[in-house]
Structures are given as structure tokens and as C-alpha cells.
Amino acid sequence: MTGSTVRPPAYQQLADDLRADITSGRLQPGERLPPEPELCVKIGVSRSTVREALRLLASQHLIVTTRGVTGGSFVAHPDAGQLAEGLSTGFALLAHSAGVGLADLLELRRALEVPAAGLAAVRRTEAHLVELRGTLFDPALDDFDTMLTAHAAFHRVLAKATGNPLFELVGRPLYQASYGEEVVADLPEGYWARIDADHRDLLDHLTARDAEAATRAAAEHLDYIALTATVVR
């Protein structure tokens, strides 16, 4: 019928309603959702519909379901790593589209990483420094995949060291999408030695809590990556 709208499945509608309660703060992290029988009566749906809605919310890392006498479904505590999974698909699709290229990703990295480096220098903990040291690699010994993974890990930890989980949330999928096959296949000689040196330089500035030097080093690091990407394209 012209102009008619298709109603979403009942489980989708219930999941949308519960998601709205969670994202609006009406349901707080750790809070228990009403039991399945109560939801069935309140919403007027079958138990299988309720369970399907809860499974959907669990797959989106919004709730955690436990079994047993004290079990039930509880609002999940936000975790940047898990929440970033939802952004990763969007980043990947955009990164492989005609409208978004490496220059766009590097522009976003600059907008995030340069101020993040300064914040991290001020707010980092000893635990963050330990994590950052653990991501360092040896360009003379490590293989390409190891160095690429370590590079992304360094910047994820740097984002975490800002103490602002939003940097980490946006950064995780961004670093996964920053390199395309057309770029990594033809990197210039000495590229990874320079990346390693930049990471160590940044780590030194964070250790010294020198926000100005860390910000400058982050900008120079991205300048080099952008210049290299322009040369090899």
C-alpha cells in the first residue's frame, strides 16, 4: 500500500527501546534489567522475542547476561575497545570508498593525535609508560606485520594515556584503517626506522611530562607519514 511503513520486528523494537534507556542514562552501568517474564508482560511479547532482543543488545556490548540464582541481564560498563568495534566497520567502508582517502584519515589523525600527545604527557601514569614501552619494535629484526601491529598499538596506548576515553574510542578503528595496501606495499627504505625513532622520542617526552615537546613530536611524526604517503601513491 502506497505510503505505508513497515514496522520493525518486535524484538528489534524492544531492543531499540532498551538501547534508548541505556544510552540516555535512564539505565545506568551495572543496573539490572527487568527479568524476562516481567518484560514479556510489560511489553506484551513472547519470551523468545525478549531473548532475541537481549541477544542483540549483548552483541552490541550494551548488556551482559549471567546465569544462576543471582543472574540476569545487566547494563554493561562502557569499554572503549568493545565500543570501537562498532565504529570499525564504518571506518573501513569509508576508507575504501571513492570519497575518502588516506589524506582524509591522516587529517583526522592530526586533529586527534597532536593534542592527545600533549594531554598524555600531562596525564599519563607509570602503567601507561610501561604499556608504551611494550609496543616498541626493532626495525632491524621484526617483520612487517609485527611492526604494523606495534605501530597501531603505540598510538592506541597514547590515546588511552590522555585519560579521555573518547580519544581511545575514536582512535582504535582509525589506526586500523590508516594504511591501505597501495601504501604499505611500497614504503621507502628507512621508513620503519624513522617510525621507531619517532615513537621513542615521543615516549621520552611523555616520560619527562613535556607537553610542548610531545605535541611538536606528534606533529612531526604525522608530517613524515603524510609526506611518505604522498610520495608512494
Side-chain angles (χ1 to χ4, degrees), residues 14-27 57 62:
L14 174 57
D16 290 346
D17 291 344
L18 291 171
R19 186 186 302 107
D21 287 340
I22 293 170
T23 57
S24 68
R26 287 191 292 271
L27 288 172
L57 293 174
L62 292 172

Side-chain angles (χ1 to χ4, degrees), residues 65-115:
T65 299
T66 60
R67 304 299 176 190
V69 178
T70 59
S73 294
F74 300 84
V75 178
H77 290 271
D79 178 86
Q82 292 180 332
L83 293 175
E85 293 177 13
L87 290 177
S88 295
T89 300
F91 267 94
L93 288 172
L94 287 172
H96 292 91
S97 74
V100 176
L102 182 61
D104 300 295
L105 290 169
L106 289 173
E107 186 174 71
L108 181 55
R109 282 190 61 178
R110 178 181 291 278
L112 288 171
E113 289 180 33
V114 174

Side-chain angles (χ1 to χ4, degrees), residues 196-221:
D196 172 61
D198 284 355
H199 285 185
R200 293 175 188 274
D201 188 38
L202 263 167
L203 179 55
D204 286 344
H205 297 318
L206 263 65
T207 301
R209 295 193 185 277
D210 190 335
E212 183 178 349
T215 300
R216 183 170 58 250
E220 292 172 354
H221 177 61

